[in-house]
Amino acid sequence: MHQLRIGVLALQGDFREHIRSVDLAGYEAFALNRAAQVDEIDALIIPGGESTTIAKLARSFDLFAPIASAIESGLPVYGSCAGMIMLAGEIEGAASGQESFGGIDMKVRRNAFGRQVDSFESDIHFVGIAQPAIHGVFIRAPWVESVGESVEVLASISTESGEHPVAVRQGNLLATSFHPEITDDFRVHRYFIEEMVAKSGRPTR
Amino acid sequence: MSDSPVKVTGSGRVKRGMAEMLKGGVIMDVVNVEQAKIAEDSGAVAVMALERVPADIRAQGGVSRMSDPDMIAAIQAAVSIPVMAKVRIGHFVEAQVLESLGVDYIDESEVLSPADYENHIDKTKFTIPFVCGATNLGEALRRINEGAAMIRSKGEAGTGDVSNATTHIRTLLREIRRLSSMREDEIYVAAKEMSAPYELVKEVADTGKLPVVLFTAGGIATPADAAMMMQLGADGVFVGSGIFKSGNPAQRAAACVKATTYYTDPKVIADVSRGLGEAMVGINVADIPAPHRLAERGW
C-alpha cells in the first residue's frame, strides 16, 4: 500500500497531539493549513480546540469551501470535540453565525455536559474496538442530540438527561465528543485509519 | 452499548487538557458584554472577564480585586467560548467564589493586588483549573507544584511594551533547554537553585518541555507581537489592554488571531497589519518605577 497522506487541520487547537497519535498508531500525519494541501490528502483529522475559532479561520483563509466539498465527495475525516462540531449538519447552541463543514447527518449540542467544572474522564465502550475500554476525556464536550438513519452510533454515555451518543460514524466520517489524542491510547486513530481510510475505496494517488 | 461508569471531574488530565484546547489561540481581556461579543466574533479562543484592563488599573491605581459576579455572569451568558476570570494572588476565597460561578479557568494574577505576600493558592483543592504567571522556570514549576494547569509568562501587563514578554518567554524556554542538556547528577543542584521540586525539574529535563501549556502575556499589542511570541515558542497568547485600548478593536482582535495561527508567514502578518489604526499608546517598561511593575508580584 502506498503511504497514506493524512492531514491534521492546523488552525487552532491540539493538532500536534493528533499528529502524535497517528504516529503512535504507526502512520504519518502532517499539519494542514493551506487550501492547496486539501487536494493532496487521503484523509483529514479535525482537532479539538474552539470550534468558533476554527470555523472563522477556515473561512478567512479559504479552507472552508475546499474542505466542505472534499467531505461531500467522500474524503475520510475524523473530528474530535470541536472537530465533531465541525462535522455536524446542525449545531445546537451555536454562536451567532457559527458555521460547520457538515457531512454527518446529526445535530450536535455544544458544551452539552456543562462548563469546565463539569469536564470529566470516563471509560467508554466503543463498538468496533475490543476491550479494554477506551478512556474518554471530555472537555467542555459536545454530545450528539439526534442522528439520521444512516448514522451509526459507536459509543454513548448516560447522563441525568438520558443517553447521548459520543462517537458516531457515517460512511467515511467519524466523530467523537472526547479526546483520544490527549491519552497514549491510539486505537481510535488506528480504527479510523485501518477501518475507514484504508477501506474507503478512494483512488490511491 | 451504553455504560454508566464513573465520571471523574477535576483530574489533572481534564484541567491540563482544557488548556491544550486553547493552544494556537488568543485569549482576550474584556470588561463588558459588548467587548466579549467582539472578542468571540473575532475568533478569540476564550475571554478574560475583568472590571478594568491592566492599562486602566495602572492609570487609576488603588487596590484591584476580583470582578463583580454579576459582570462575570453577564459575560458567561453572552458568549459560548470559555470565560476566565482573575483572582488576587493567594486569595483562595475569591477562587472559591469564581468556582461557584462556573468560570472555566481562574487566573491567579499579579495584575490584581496580591492578597498574600507569602502563599499562593493551593490550587490542587479546586475542580476548576488555574493559570498562573511566571517570569522564569523556577517560578513556573512552583506554580505547577501548587496545582496550576497552565502557565503564562508574565510580561508587563498594561504597557503595550512587549519587551518583558520577550524576556520572560525567552528565559523560560532557555532554562528548559539548559536543563535538557544537563547530566543527571546536575539536576539536583539545578532544582535547588531554582527552588523548585526535584520531580518536576527532572520531568522537564527528560521531556524538554513544561508539563503544562505555556502561553505568553503582558504587553502584546500588535499582530507582529503575537506572532513573535509564537515564533519564540509560546503555545498561544493573552492580549489584554492591547485590543480594546486601540483604535479599531474588532479588526485588531481578528488580526491578532490570524497572526497567531499563521505566525511563520510574514505575508499574512503584513496583510492583517494593514490599516489597523492606532495601537494602544503604551508606556515603556523602563519608565515605570520598579515598585509599580506588576511582573515583580508573585514569588
Side-chain angles (χ1 to χ4, degrees):
Chain A
M1 196 173 70
H2 76 295
Q3 178 68 45
L4 290 172
R5 291 187 53 84
I6 302 167
V8 181
L9 187 60
L11 294 171
Q12 187 274 318
D14 69 340
F15 52 87
R16 286 186 199 88
E17 284 64 30
H18 274 288
I19 292 173
R20 174 179 168 272
S21 293
V22 171
D23 184 54
L24 290 173
Y27 299 87
E28 257 179 60
F30 64 95
L32 178 150
N33 63 12
R34 305 280 168 189
Q37 294 172 300
V38 178
D39 292 332
E40 299 167 3
I41 52 175
D42 300 304
L44 178 69
I45 295 175
I46 307 173
E50 200 43 55
S51 58
T52 53
T53 304
I54 293 171
K56 276 174 211 305
L57 286 165
R59 186 55 84 186
S60 299
F61 290 94
D62 301 324
L63 280 154
F64 205 96
I67 291 175
S69 88
I71 290 172
E72 210 172 328
S73 66
L75 179 73
V77 184
Y78 166 41
S80 70
C81 197
M84 169 184 262
I85 295 166
M86 292 304 298
L87 288 172
E90 197 183 334
I91 306 171
E92 189 79 30
S96 78
Q98 183 175 354
E99 300 180 284
S100 64
F101 299 130
I104 300 183
D105 182 12
M106 62 177 173
K107 188 200 281 186
V108 163
R109 179 178 292 276
R110 285 181 73 207
N111 306 332
F113 294 92
R115 296 184 172 279
Q116 174 59 15
V117 276
D118 306 304
S119 291
F120 64 98
E121 41 186 316
S122 173
D123 282 344
I124 37 182
H125 175 61
F126 193 107
V127 174
I129 297 180
Q131 292 293 327
I134 294 284
H135 193 67
V137 184
F138 295 80
I139 296 173
R140 284 173 48 96
W143 69 41
V144 179
E145 196 80 13
S146 60
V147 294
E149 279 176 8
S150 48
V151 178
E152 187 187 356
V153 174
L154 301 177
S156 297
I157 207 152
S158 301
T159 71
E160 282 148 19
S161 64
E163 190 174 302
H164 302 283
V166 292
V168 295
R169 174 181 177 174
Q170 180 179 358
N172 287 337
L173 305 174
L174 174 70
T176 63
S177 304
F178 52 91
H179 295 282
E181 74 277 11
I182 61 171
T183 70
D184 291 333
D185 187 345
F186 52 80
R187 288 177 296 161
V188 173
H189 291 80
R190 192 172 60 192
Y191 172 90
F192 172 62
I193 296 164
E194 295 182 359
E195 297 302 317
M196 297 176 62
V197 182
K199 294 180 182 170
S200 67
R202 285 165 59 84
T204 54
R205 61 196 68 249
Chain B
M1 95 193 150
S2 160
D3 305 9
S4 37
V6 188
K7 295 193 181 88
V8 179
T9 57
S11 63
R13 181 139 65 187
V14 164
K15 290 175 174 178
R16 292 176 180 190
M18 167 81 205
E20 300 284 348
M21 302 311 144
L22 301 172
K23 286 194 300 193
V26 182
I27 300 168
M28 301 181 192
D29 279 1
V30 298
V31 300
N32 56 41
V33 165
E34 187 198 356
Q35 291 185 356
K37 286 185 168 160
I38 291 172
E40 183 178 47
D41 282 346
S42 312
V45 287
V47 291
M48 178 74 70
L50 71 178
E51 269 161 3
R52 295 184 289 171
V53 294
D56 289 334
I57 292 174
R58 196 176 279 294
Q60 294 160 7
V63 174
S64 52
R65 311 178 178 89
M66 177 189 79
S67 299
D68 185 326
D70 270 348
M71 175 268 185
I72 294 169
I75 288 174
Q76 287 175 309
V79 296
S80 63
I81 58 177
V83 176
M84 301 181 163
K86 289 182 193 290
V87 299
R88 286 176 271 178
I89 289 173
H91 206 313
F92 53 88
V93 174
E94 285 187 347
Q96 291 163 4
V97 170
L98 290 188
E99 181 166 71
S100 80
L101 295 176
V103 304
D104 294 295
Y105 237 94
I106 294 175
D107 184 1
E108 186 182 18
S109 177
E110 71 282 0
V111 166
L112 305 183
S113 308
D116 187 330
Y117 278 92
E118 286 181 355
N119 307 291
H120 281 70
I121 296 170
D122 177 0
K123 294 164 275 286
T124 63
K125 297 285 188 288
F126 290 81
T127 303
I128 210 79
F130 282 72
V131 55
C132 288
T135 59
N136 58 53
L137 182 57
E139 193 177 3
L141 295 179
R142 289 193 291 280
R143 298 295 86 78
I144 293 167
N145 194 44
E146 295 155 1
M150 177 178 183
I151 294 291
R152 54 174 175 72
S153 61
K154 284 181 182 171
E156 188 58 32
T159 60
D161 178 349
V162 80
S163 63
N164 275 24
T166 307
T167 305
H168 297 159
I169 190 80
R170 276 189 185 276
T171 302
L172 264 156
L173 294 171
R174 182 174 59 240
E175 290 175 337
I176 291 172
R177 287 192 299 273
R178 186 173 146 261
L179 275 186
S180 296
S181 68
M182 280 184 180
R183 282 167 53 95
E184 271 194 36
D185 59 3
E186 294 167 344
I187 308 281
Y188 298 98
V189 174
K192 189 197 82 179
E193 282 173 352
M194 63 176 77
S195 305
Y198 170 77
E199 291 70 27
L200 282 173
V201 174
K202 179 79 167 66
E203 184 181 345
V204 171
D206 288 345
T207 60
K209 60 189 187 65
L210 275 190
V212 302
V213 165
L214 173 62
F215 269 49
T216 299
I220 295 158
T222 70
D225 288 350
M228 181 163 87
M229 295 303 118
M230 296 299 290
Q231 286 199 26
L232 285 172
D235 290 322
V237 296
F238 284 84
V239 184
S241 320
I243 287 171
F244 290 100
K245 286 287 165 191
S246 75
N248 187 345
Q251 196 187 342
R252 183 169 295 268
C256 288
V257 169
K258 291 171 184 169
T260 300
T261 292
Y262 290 94
Y263 64 90
T264 55
D265 188 336
K267 275 176 68 180
V268 169
I269 301 164
D271 273 350
V272 302
S273 301
R274 282 174 214 276
L276 276 188
E278 261 177 76
M280 68 179 286
V281 177
I283 317 166
N284 292 304
V285 175
D287 297 338
I288 303 170
H292 298 292
R293 291 186 194 165
L294 304 175
E296 296 183 12
R297 296 171 171 175
W299 27 90

